[in-house]
Amino acid sequence: MQKIKEAFLVSPFLVFFLVHSEQVGVGVLGYQRIIAKYAGYDSWISVIIAAVFVHILIWMIYYVLDNGDGDIVTTHKSLFGGFIGNLFNLFLLLYFLLWSITVLRTYIEVIQVWMFPTLSTWKIAAVFLLLTYYVVSSGFRTVAGICFLGVVIPLGLIVLLVYPLEFTHFSNLLPVFDENIRDYLSATKNMMLSYLGFETLLVFYPFIKNAKRSQKFAHHANLFTFMMYLLVTLFSFAFFSQEQLSRNIWATLSMVKIVQVSFVERFDFVFVSMWCLVILPNITLAIWCSSRIGKLMLNIRQHITLIILLAITLAACYYLDTRLKINMLNNYTNKIGFYLAISYIPLLFVMTFIKKRFKKNNKEQASPTT
């Protein structure tokens, strides 16, 4: 593993902001319709199941990195050999690139639907990617700072959930446990897209001071994400009828639309504009992870891989020009992220566990008997 200079490391508590900022993004604006499609108003249970599942996966990631080489690129080669290890590295690079494209293009669609219908996709994408280039090229500490601001500044938007309270009917949530196990699991699978992002731990782990101490902050981040999603889910289900929710692509934005203040006529415009502070950390951290893996794989400057990845992202956003394509993109990202979570991370955990036991047994056999 390449030794990281202490000047480039971040404090363990910043893991809370890095993980949470990557988990909460464009998905919170409209995930309710997708999960309600499978388990109805009992889908809030899937929010809990997904959160528990992610806690287990975070524990597995820390086990792998604490007992491995710390660097996921080196860990892949150590566990699977050079060729297969590089295939895993390439897969992870492409996954984070796909994640950044999904977040950016979906948010651009929100801007075009709610604010500027005639604004070109490539113009919005170019602005975001220029900001991404500036942040990522400034180093990981700058990326961590953007993630910190992306959590703290928009945090006050949660207060907006108070406004729809007078129109809510929490009796909509009854009866509870009215669906079968298969429906809950289907809703949980689709909820995973909104929890994804914690996998970035695999890449930025070496940049954390006393990295083993940061595990509790990663779990706290996931807990905070869970509380936010559960709150938004319960309010949405109490606000909309099931038929309304099935036709509403952006349920959270529709709730915010009823907010009325004397100095702003359309508060949803303010909400969408401020949400760019949430989206920017999503994109910058994912692109940083991709460019970092590319640098370690190819042994070239991260600046070069960064420019290539940004160009690919811009081209992909331009190509994804219809709602059908964007919906397919989200579906594919959800499926890939879900199967990465349930197969790839447990595989790393099992391989690391076996390797650790093998080393321990060899050490015991090699030690002289007394």
Side-chain angles (χ1 to χ4, degrees), residues 110 113-116 160 253-254 256-273:
V110 174
V113 170
W114 287 82
M115 297 178 67
F116 305 112
L160 297 177
L253 285 177
S254 296
V256 173
K257 194 174 180 179
I258 73 166
V259 176
Q260 294 182 347
V261 290
S262 58
F263 54 90
V264 178
E265 183 177 353
R266 293 288 301 274
F267 203 86
D268 50 322
F269 284 11
V270 177
F271 187 92
V272 172
S273 301

Side-chain angles (χ1 to χ4, degrees), residues 158-168 235 239 255-256 258-261 267:
I158 298 178
V159 179
L160 297 177
L161 291 175
V162 174
Y163 283 87
L165 268 178
E166 61 178 304
F167 306 106
T168 54
F235 274 63
F239 183 79
M255 284 198 300
V256 173
I258 73 166
V259 176
Q260 294 182 347
V261 290
F267 203 86

Side-chain angles (χ1 to χ4, degrees), residues 15 19 58 61-62 65 96 197-206 208 214 218 289:
V15 172
V19 173
I58 289 174
I61 288 174
Y62 270 92
L65 297 174
F96 287 125
F198 64 92
E199 319 91 287
T200 50
L201 275 165
L202 291 165
V203 184
F204 69 72
Y205 178 88
I208 310 169
S214 68
C289 289

Side-chain angles (χ1 to χ4, degrees), residues 47-195:
V47 178
I48 301 174
I49 298 172
V52 173
F53 187 50
V54 171
H55 274 300
I56 296 172
L57 293 174
I58 289 174
W59 174 78
M60 287 183 177
I61 288 174
Y62 270 92
Y63 181 88
V64 170
L65 297 174
D66 288 346
N67 294 283
D69 299 300
D71 186 337
I72 190 59
V73 173
T74 309
T75 299
H76 280 154
K77 294 179 181 179
S78 175
L79 293 176
F80 305 106
F83 178 74
I84 299 178
N86 274 327
L87 289 180
F88 275 101
N89 291 331
L90 180 61
F91 166 75
L92 207 57
L93 184 154
L94 294 176
Y95 168 72
F96 287 125
L97 177 62
L98 178 65
W99 171 260
S100 61
I101 293 171
T102 303
V103 172
L104 178 58
R105 186 60 188 94
T106 307
Y107 181 65
I108 290 174
E109 184 191 27
V110 174
I111 294 175
Q112 291 172 329
V113 170
W114 287 82
M115 297 178 67
F116 305 112
T118 59
L119 192 60
S120 300
T121 299
W122 73 269
K123 292 180 181 178
I124 309 175
V127 172
F128 268 94
L129 294 178
L130 282 173
L131 286 171
T132 302
Y133 173 80
Y134 174 76
V135 173
V136 176
S137 61
S138 299
F140 180 71
R141 289 172 66 92
T142 306
V143 174
I146 289 294
C147 291
F148 174 82
L149 295 176
V151 173
V152 173
I153 295 178
L155 199 59
L157 295 175
I158 298 178
V159 179
L160 297 177
L161 291 175
V162 174
Y163 283 87
L165 268 178
E166 61 178 304
F167 306 106
T168 54
H169 303 278
F170 286 96
S171 58
N172 290 349
L173 303 174
L174 300 174
V176 183
F177 303 113
D178 198 35
E179 307 292 337
N180 58 53
I181 298 294
R182 190 172 183 177
D183 291 332
Y184 291 131
L185 293 178
S186 297
T188 300
K189 178 182 176 181
N190 285 274
M191 184 66 205
M192 283 301 295
L193 178 60
S194 298
Y195 277 106

